Coordinates of all heavy atoms in Angstrom, one line a residue:
M82 N 15.2 16.5 -18.4 CA 15.4 15.5 -17.4 C 16.9 14.9 -17.4 O 17.3 14.4 -16.4 CB 14.5 14.3 -17.6 CG 13.1 14.3 -17.3 SD 12.5 15.3 -16.0 CE 11.1 15.9 -16.8
Q83 N 17.5 15.0 -18.5 CA 18.8 14.4 -18.7 C 19.8 14.9 -17.6 O 20.7 14.1 -17.2 CB 19.4 14.7 -20.1 CG 18.6 14.2 -21.2 CD 18.7 12.7 -21.3 OE1 18.0 12.0 -20.7 NE2 19.6 12.2 -22.1
N84 N 19.7 16.1 -17.2 CA 20.7 16.7 -16.3 C 20.3 16.5 -14.8 O 21.1 16.9 -13.9 CB 20.9 18.2 -16.6 CG 21.4 18.4 -18.0 OD1 22.2 17.6 -18.5 ND2 21.0 19.5 -18.6
V85 N 19.2 15.9 -14.5 CA 18.8 15.7 -13.1 C 19.3 14.4 -12.6 O 19.1 13.3 -13.2 CB 17.2 15.8 -13.0 CG1 16.8 15.6 -11.6 CG2 16.7 17.1 -13.5
D86 N 20.0 14.4 -11.5 CA 20.6 13.2 -10.9 C 19.5 12.5 -10.1 O 18.6 13.2 -9.5 CB 21.7 13.7 -10.0 CG 22.4 12.5 -9.3 OD1 23.1 11.7 -10.1 OD2 22.3 12.3 -8.1
L87 N 19.6 11.2 -10.0 CA 18.6 10.4 -9.3 C 18.5 10.9 -7.9 O 17.4 11.0 -7.3 CB 19.0 8.9 -9.4 CG 18.1 8.0 -8.6 CD1 16.7 8.0 -9.1 CD2 18.6 6.6 -8.7
F88 N 19.6 11.2 -7.3 CA 19.6 11.6 -5.8 C 19.1 13.0 -5.6 O 19.1 13.4 -4.4 CB 21.0 11.3 -5.2 CG 21.4 9.9 -5.4 CD1 22.4 9.4 -6.2 CD2 20.7 8.9 -4.7 CE1 22.7 8.1 -6.4 CE2 21.0 7.5 -4.8 CZ 22.0 7.1 -5.7
E89 N 18.8 13.7 -6.7 CA 18.1 15.0 -6.5 C 16.6 14.7 -6.3 O 15.9 15.6 -5.8 CB 18.3 15.9 -7.7 CG 19.7 16.4 -7.9 CD 19.9 17.2 -9.1 OE1 19.1 18.2 -9.3 OE2 20.8 16.9 -9.9
V90 N 16.1 13.6 -6.6 CA 14.6 13.3 -6.5 C 14.3 12.2 -5.5 O 13.1 12.1 -5.1 CB 14.0 12.9 -7.9 CG1 14.2 14.1 -8.8 CG2 14.6 11.6 -8.4
I91 N 15.3 11.5 -5.0 CA 15.1 10.5 -3.9 C 16.1 10.7 -2.8 O 17.2 11.3 -3.1 CB 15.0 9.0 -4.4 CG1 16.4 8.6 -4.9 CG2 14.0 8.8 -5.4 CD1 16.5 7.1 -5.2
E92 N 15.8 10.2 -1.7 CA 16.8 10.3 -0.6 C 16.5 9.2 0.4 O 15.5 8.5 0.4 CB 16.6 11.7 0.2 CG 15.3 11.8 0.9 CD 15.1 13.2 1.5 OE1 16.1 13.8 2.0 OE2 14.0 13.6 1.7
R93 N 17.6 9.0 1.2 CA 17.5 8.0 2.3 C 18.0 8.6 3.6 O 19.1 9.1 3.6 CB 18.3 6.8 1.8 CG 18.2 5.6 2.7 CD 18.9 4.5 2.0 NE 18.5 3.2 2.6 CZ 19.1 2.0 2.2 NH1 20.0 2.0 1.3 NH2 18.7 0.9 2.8
D94 N 17.2 8.5 4.6 CA 17.6 9.1 5.9 C 17.1 8.2 7.0 O 15.9 7.9 7.0 CB 16.9 10.5 6.0 CG 17.2 11.3 7.3 OD1 17.5 10.6 8.3 OD2 17.1 12.5 7.3
P95 N 18.0 7.8 7.8 CA 17.6 6.8 8.9 C 16.5 7.3 9.8 O 15.8 6.5 10.5 CB 18.9 6.5 9.6 CG 19.9 7.5 9.2 CD 19.4 8.1 7.9
T96 N 16.3 8.6 9.8 CA 15.2 9.2 10.7 C 13.9 9.3 10.0 O 12.9 9.7 10.7 CB 15.6 10.6 11.2 OG1 15.7 11.5 10.1 CG2 17.0 10.5 12.0
K97 N 13.8 8.9 8.7 CA 12.6 9.0 8.0 C 12.2 7.7 7.4 O 13.0 7.0 6.8 CB 12.7 10.0 6.8 CG 12.9 11.4 7.2 CD 13.0 12.3 5.9 CE 13.3 13.7 6.2 NZ 13.5 14.5 5.0
V98 N 11.0 7.2 7.7 CA 10.4 6.0 7.2 C 11.4 4.8 7.3 O 11.7 4.1 6.4 CB 10.0 6.2 5.7 CG1 9.1 5.0 5.2 CG2 9.3 7.5 5.5
S99 N 12.0 4.7 8.5 CA 12.9 3.6 8.8 C 14.1 3.5 7.9 O 14.6 2.4 7.7 CB 12.2 2.3 8.9 OG 11.2 2.4 9.9
G100 N 14.5 4.6 7.3 CA 15.7 4.6 6.4 C 15.4 4.1 5.0 O 16.3 3.9 4.2
A101 N 14.1 3.9 4.6 CA 13.8 3.5 3.3 C 14.1 4.6 2.3 O 14.1 5.8 2.6 CB 12.3 3.1 3.2
W102 N 14.3 4.2 1.0 CA 14.4 5.2 0.0 C 13.0 5.9 -0.2 O 12.0 5.2 -0.3 CB 14.8 4.6 -1.4 CG 16.3 4.3 -1.4 CD1 16.8 3.0 -1.2 CD2 17.4 5.1 -1.5 NE1 18.2 3.1 -1.3 CE2 18.6 4.4 -1.5 CE3 17.5 6.5 -1.7 CZ2 19.8 4.9 -1.6 CZ3 18.8 7.1 -1.8 CH2 19.9 6.3 -1.8
I103 N 13.0 7.2 -0.2 CA 11.8 8.0 -0.3 C 12.0 9.1 -1.4 O 13.1 9.4 -1.7 CB 11.4 8.6 1.0 CG1 12.5 9.6 1.6 CG2 11.0 7.6 2.1 CD1 12.1 10.4 2.8
F104 N 10.8 9.6 -1.9 CA 10.9 10.7 -2.8 C 11.3 11.9 -1.9 O 10.7 12.2 -0.9 CB 9.5 10.9 -3.4 CG 9.2 9.9 -4.5 CD1 8.4 8.8 -4.1 CD2 9.7 10.0 -5.8 CE1 8.1 7.8 -5.1 CE2 9.4 9.1 -6.7 CZ 8.6 8.0 -6.4
R105 N 12.3 12.6 -2.4 CA 12.9 13.8 -1.7 C 11.8 14.8 -1.3 O 10.9 15.1 -2.1 CB 14.0 14.4 -2.5 CG 14.7 15.5 -1.7 CD 15.9 16.1 -2.5 NE 17.0 15.1 -2.6 CZ 17.8 14.8 -1.6 NH1 17.8 15.4 -0.4 NH2 18.8 13.8 -1.8
G106 N 11.8 15.2 0.0 CA 10.8 16.2 0.5 C 9.5 15.6 0.9 O 8.6 16.3 1.2
T107 N 9.4 14.2 0.8 CA 8.2 13.6 1.2 C 8.5 12.4 2.2 O 9.7 12.2 2.6 CB 7.5 12.9 0.0 OG1 8.1 11.7 -0.4 CG2 7.4 13.9 -1.2
R108 N 7.5 11.7 2.6 CA 7.7 10.5 3.4 C 7.2 9.3 2.6 O 6.9 8.2 3.1 CB 7.0 10.6 4.7 CG 7.6 11.7 5.6 CD 7.0 11.8 7.0 NE 7.2 10.6 7.8 CZ 8.3 10.3 8.4 NH1 9.3 11.1 8.4 NH2 8.4 9.2 9.1
V109 N 7.1 9.5 1.3 CA 6.5 8.4 0.4 C 7.7 7.5 -0.1 O 8.6 8.0 -0.8 CB 5.8 9.1 -0.8 CG1 5.3 8.0 -1.8 CG2 4.7 10.0 -0.4
P110 N 7.6 6.2 0.3 CA 8.7 5.3 -0.1 C 8.7 5.1 -1.6 O 7.6 5.0 -2.3 CB 8.3 4.0 0.6 CG 7.4 4.4 1.7 CD 6.7 5.6 1.2
V111 N 9.9 5.0 -2.2 CA 10.0 4.7 -3.6 C 9.4 3.3 -3.9 O 8.7 3.1 -4.9 CB 11.5 4.7 -4.0 CG1 11.7 4.1 -5.4 CG2 12.0 6.1 -3.9
A112 N 9.5 2.4 -2.9 CA 8.9 1.1 -3.1 C 7.4 1.1 -3.3 O 6.8 0.3 -4.0 CB 9.2 0.2 -1.9
A113 N 6.8 2.1 -2.7 CA 5.3 2.3 -2.8 C 4.9 2.6 -4.3 O 3.9 2.1 -4.8 CB 4.8 3.4 -1.9
F114 N 5.8 3.3 -4.9 CA 5.6 3.6 -6.4 C 5.6 2.4 -7.2 O 4.7 2.1 -7.9 CB 6.6 4.6 -6.9 CG 6.5 4.9 -8.3 CD1 5.5 5.5 -8.9 CD2 7.6 4.4 -9.2 CE1 5.4 5.7 -10.3 CE2 7.5 4.6 -10.5 CZ 6.4 5.2 -11.1
F115 N 6.6 1.6 -7.0 CA 6.8 0.4 -7.8 C 5.7 -0.7 -7.5 O 5.2 -1.4 -8.3 CB 8.2 -0.2 -7.7 CG 9.2 0.6 -8.4 CD1 10.1 1.3 -7.7 CD2 9.2 0.7 -9.8 CE1 11.1 2.1 -8.4 CE2 10.1 1.5 -10.5 CZ 11.1 2.2 -9.8
E116 N 5.3 -0.7 -6.2 CA 4.3 -1.7 -5.8 C 2.9 -1.3 -6.4 O 2.2 -2.1 -6.9 CB 4.1 -1.7 -4.3 CG 5.3 -2.4 -3.6 CD 5.3 -2.2 -2.1 OE1 4.3 -1.7 -1.5 OE2 6.3 -2.5 -1.5
N117 N 2.6 0.0 -6.4 CA 1.4 0.5 -7.0 C 1.4 0.2 -8.5 O 0.4 -0.2 -9.1 CB 1.2 2.0 -6.8 CG 0.5 2.2 -5.4 OD1 -0.7 2.1 -5.3 ND2 1.4 2.5 -4.4
L118 N 2.5 0.4 -9.2 CA 2.6 0.1 -10.7 C 2.3 -1.3 -10.9 O 1.6 -1.7 -11.8 CB 3.9 0.6 -11.3 CG 4.1 2.1 -11.5 CD1 5.5 2.3 -12.2 CD2 3.0 2.7 -12.2
K119 N 3.0 -2.2 -10.1 CA 2.9 -3.6 -10.2 C 1.4 -4.1 -10.0 O 1.0 -5.0 -10.7 CB 3.8 -4.3 -9.2 CG 3.9 -5.8 -9.3 CD 4.8 -6.4 -8.3 CE 4.0 -7.1 -7.3 NZ 4.7 -7.6 -6.2
D120 N 0.7 -3.4 -9.2 CA -0.7 -3.7 -8.9 C -1.6 -3.1 -9.9 O -2.9 -3.2 -9.8 CB -1.1 -3.3 -7.5 CG -0.4 -4.1 -6.4 OD1 0.1 -5.2 -6.7 OD2 -0.3 -3.6 -5.2
G121 N -1.1 -2.4 -10.9 CA -2.0 -2.0 -12.0 C -2.3 -0.5 -12.0 O -3.0 0.0 -12.9
A122 N -1.8 0.3 -11.0 CA -2.0 1.7 -11.0 C -1.3 2.4 -12.1 O -0.2 2.0 -12.5 CB -1.7 2.3 -9.6
S123 N -1.8 3.5 -12.5 CA -1.1 4.3 -13.5 C -0.3 5.4 -12.8 O -0.5 5.6 -11.5 CB -2.1 5.1 -14.4 OG -2.8 6.0 -13.7
I124 N 0.6 6.0 -13.5 CA 1.4 7.0 -12.9 C 0.5 8.2 -12.4 O 0.7 8.7 -11.3 CB 2.5 7.5 -13.8 CG1 3.6 6.4 -14.0 CG2 3.2 8.8 -13.3 CD1 4.6 6.7 -15.1
D125 N -0.5 8.5 -13.2 CA -1.4 9.6 -12.8 C -2.1 9.2 -11.5 O -2.3 10.1 -10.7 CB -2.4 9.9 -13.9 CG -1.8 10.6 -15.1 OD1 -0.8 11.3 -14.9 OD2 -2.3 10.4 -16.3
Q126 N -2.5 8.0 -11.4 CA -3.2 7.6 -10.1 C -2.3 7.7 -9.0 O -2.7 8.2 -7.9 CB -3.7 6.1 -10.3 CG -4.9 6.0 -11.2 CD -5.3 4.5 -11.4 OE1 -4.4 3.7 -11.6 NE2 -6.5 4.2 -11.3
F127 N -1.0 7.2 -9.1 CA -0.1 7.3 -8.0 C 0.1 8.8 -7.6 O 0.1 9.1 -6.4 CB 1.3 6.7 -8.4 CG 2.3 6.8 -7.4 CD1 2.3 5.9 -6.3 CD2 3.3 7.8 -7.4 CE1 3.3 6.0 -5.3 CE2 4.2 7.9 -6.4 CZ 4.2 7.0 -5.4
L128 N 0.3 9.7 -8.6 CA 0.5 11.1 -8.3 C -0.7 11.7 -7.6 O -0.6 12.6 -6.7 CB 0.8 11.9 -9.6 CG 2.2 11.5 -10.2 CD1 2.3 12.2 -11.5 CD2 3.3 11.9 -9.3
E129 N -1.9 11.2 -7.9 CA -3.1 11.7 -7.3 C -3.2 11.2 -5.8 O -3.5 11.9 -4.9 CB -4.3 11.2 -8.1 CG -5.7 11.6 -7.5 CD -6.8 11.1 -8.3 OE1 -6.7 11.0 -9.5 OE2 -7.9 10.8 -7.6
W130 N -2.8 10.0 -5.6 CA -2.8 9.4 -4.3 C -1.7 9.9 -3.4 O -1.9 9.9 -2.2 CB -2.7 7.8 -4.4 CG -3.8 7.2 -5.1 CD1 -5.1 7.6 -5.3 CD2 -3.8 5.9 -5.8 NE1 -5.8 6.8 -6.1 CE2 -5.0 5.7 -6.4 CE3 -2.8 5.0 -6.1 CZ2 -5.3 4.6 -7.2 CZ3 -3.0 3.9 -6.8 CH2 -4.3 3.7 -7.4
F131 N -0.6 10.3 -4.0 CA 0.5 10.8 -3.2 C 0.9 12.2 -3.7 O 1.9 12.4 -4.4 CB 1.7 9.8 -3.3 CG 1.4 8.5 -2.8 CD1 1.0 7.5 -3.6 CD2 1.5 8.2 -1.4 CE1 0.7 6.2 -3.1 CE2 1.2 6.9 -0.9 CZ 0.8 5.9 -1.8
P132 N 0.1 13.2 -3.3 CA 0.3 14.6 -3.9 C 1.6 15.2 -3.6 O 2.0 16.2 -4.3 CB -0.9 15.4 -3.4 CG -1.4 14.6 -2.2 CD -1.0 13.2 -2.4
G133 N 2.4 14.8 -2.7 CA 3.7 15.4 -2.4 C 4.7 15.0 -3.5 O 5.8 15.6 -3.6
V134 N 4.5 13.9 -4.2 CA 5.4 13.4 -5.2 C 5.1 14.2 -6.5 O 3.9 14.3 -6.9 CB 5.3 11.9 -5.4 CG1 6.2 11.4 -6.5 CG2 5.5 11.2 -4.1
T135 N 6.1 14.6 -7.2 CA 5.9 15.3 -8.5 C 6.2 14.4 -9.7 O 6.9 13.3 -9.6 CB 6.9 16.5 -8.6 OG1 8.2 16.0 -8.8 CG2 6.8 17.4 -7.4
R136 N 5.6 14.7 -10.8 CA 5.8 14.0 -12.0 C 7.3 13.9 -12.4 O 7.8 12.9 -12.9 CB 4.9 14.6 -13.2 CG 5.0 13.8 -14.5 CD 4.0 14.3 -15.5 NE 2.6 14.1 -15.0 CZ 1.9 13.0 -15.1 NH1 2.5 11.9 -15.6 NH2 0.7 12.9 -14.7
T137 N 7.9 15.1 -12.2 CA 9.4 15.1 -12.5 C 10.1 14.1 -11.7 O 11.0 13.4 -12.2 CB 9.9 16.5 -12.3 OG1 9.3 17.4 -13.1 CG2 11.4 16.6 -12.5
Q138 N 9.8 13.9 -10.4 CA 10.5 12.9 -9.6 C 10.3 11.5 -10.2 O 11.2 10.7 -10.3 CB 10.0 13.0 -8.1 CG 10.5 14.2 -7.4 CD 9.8 14.3 -6.0 OE1 8.6 14.2 -5.9 NE2 10.7 14.4 -5.0
V139 N 9.0 11.2 -10.5 CA 8.7 9.9 -11.1 C 9.5 9.7 -12.4 O 10.0 8.6 -12.6 CB 7.2 9.8 -11.3 CG1 6.9 8.5 -12.1 CG2 6.5 9.7 -9.9
Q140 N 9.5 10.7 -13.3 CA 10.1 10.6 -14.6 C 11.6 10.3 -14.4 O 12.2 9.5 -15.1 CB 9.9 11.8 -15.4 CG 8.4 11.9 -15.9 CD 8.1 13.1 -16.6 OE1 8.7 14.2 -16.4 NE2 7.2 13.1 -17.6
V141 N 12.3 11.1 -13.5 CA 13.7 10.9 -13.3 C 14.0 9.5 -12.7 O 14.9 8.8 -13.1 CB 14.3 12.0 -12.4 CG1 15.7 11.7 -11.9 CG2 14.2 13.4 -13.1
L142 N 13.2 9.1 -11.7 CA 13.3 7.8 -11.2 C 13.2 6.7 -12.2 O 14.1 5.8 -12.3 CB 12.2 7.5 -10.1 CG 12.2 6.1 -9.5 CD1 13.5 5.9 -8.7 CD2 11.0 6.0 -8.6
L143 N 12.2 6.8 -13.1 CA 12.1 5.8 -14.1 C 13.3 5.8 -15.1 O 13.8 4.8 -15.6 CB 10.8 5.9 -14.9 CG 9.5 5.6 -14.0 CD1 8.3 5.9 -14.8 CD2 9.5 4.1 -13.7
D144 N 13.7 7.0 -15.5 CA 14.8 7.2 -16.4 C 16.1 6.6 -15.9 O 16.9 6.0 -16.6 CB 15.0 8.7 -16.8 CG 14.0 9.3 -17.7 OD1 13.2 8.5 -18.3 OD2 13.9 10.5 -17.8
R145 N 16.3 6.8 -14.6 CA 17.6 6.3 -14.0 C 17.5 4.9 -13.5 O 18.5 4.2 -13.5 CB 17.9 7.2 -12.8 CG 18.1 8.7 -13.2 CD 19.3 8.9 -14.2 NE 19.5 10.3 -14.5 CZ 18.9 11.0 -15.5 NH1 18.0 10.4 -16.3 NH2 19.2 12.2 -15.7
A146 N 16.3 4.4 -13.0 CA 16.2 3.1 -12.4 C 16.1 2.0 -13.4 O 16.4 0.9 -13.1 CB 15.1 3.1 -11.4
L147 N 15.5 2.3 -14.6 CA 15.2 1.3 -15.5 C 16.3 1.3 -16.6 O 16.6 2.4 -17.1 CB 13.8 1.4 -16.1 CG 12.7 1.4 -15.1 CD1 11.3 1.6 -15.8 CD2 12.7 0.0 -14.4
P148 N 16.8 0.2 -17.0 CA 17.8 0.2 -18.1 C 17.3 0.7 -19.4 O 16.1 0.4 -19.7 CB 18.2 -1.3 -18.2 CG 17.2 -2.1 -17.5 CD 16.5 -1.2 -16.6
S149 N 18.1 1.3 -20.2 CA 17.7 1.8 -21.5 C 17.6 0.6 -22.4 O 18.4 -0.3 -22.4 CB 18.8 2.8 -22.0 OG 18.5 3.2 -23.3
P150 N 16.6 0.7 -23.3 CA 16.4 -0.4 -24.3 C 17.5 -0.5 -25.4 O 17.5 -1.5 -26.1 CB 15.0 -0.2 -24.9 CG 14.8 1.3 -24.7 CD 15.6 1.7 -23.5
H151 N 18.4 0.4 -25.4 CA 19.4 0.4 -26.5 C 20.6 -0.5 -26.1 O 21.1 -0.6 -25.2 CB 20.0 1.8 -26.6 CG 18.9 2.8 -27.1 ND1 18.0 3.3 -26.2 CD2 18.7 3.3 -28.3 CE1 17.2 4.1 -26.9 NE2 17.6 4.1 -28.1

């Protein structure tokens, strides 16, 4: 995962989902992922509910979006 850039897994296009950040190749907003986690869903549940999103996309997003504890 170290070599994968955040923008390889998410994208923003004004013609898709009103320009919201989405998982690349889908119409699933990144915000939906964080909202589901906040509401208690697991990553596995999210991936089940949004089958176009891959585990790799989620892992890269979390690795890049959340600060390192170091």
Side-chain angles (χ1 to χ4, degrees):
M82 288 322 141
Q83 297 290 86
N84 297 328
V85 180
D86 182 68
L87 179 61
F88 301 109
E89 291 180 51
V90 299
I91 65 172
E92 65 182 331
R93 191 174 194 180
D94 180 336
T96 65
K97 295 180 183 176
V98 195
S99 302
W102 284 103
I103 59 175
F104 288 95
R105 187 170 291 281
T107 76
R108 296 184 63 79
V109 179
V111 170
F114 172 69
F115 289 110
E116 288 169 12
N117 277 276
L118 286 186
K119 186 177 109 186
D120 290 342
S123 70
I124 292 172
D125 288 332
Q126 287 173 316
F127 180 81
L128 293 172
E129 181 181 324
W130 298 333
F131 299 95
V134 179
T135 68
R136 184 171 298 277
T137 298
Q138 287 175 307
V139 168
Q140 288 174 329
V141 170
L142 175 65
L143 290 173
D144 286 348
R145 300 298 184 269
L147 301 176
S149 175
H151 297 77

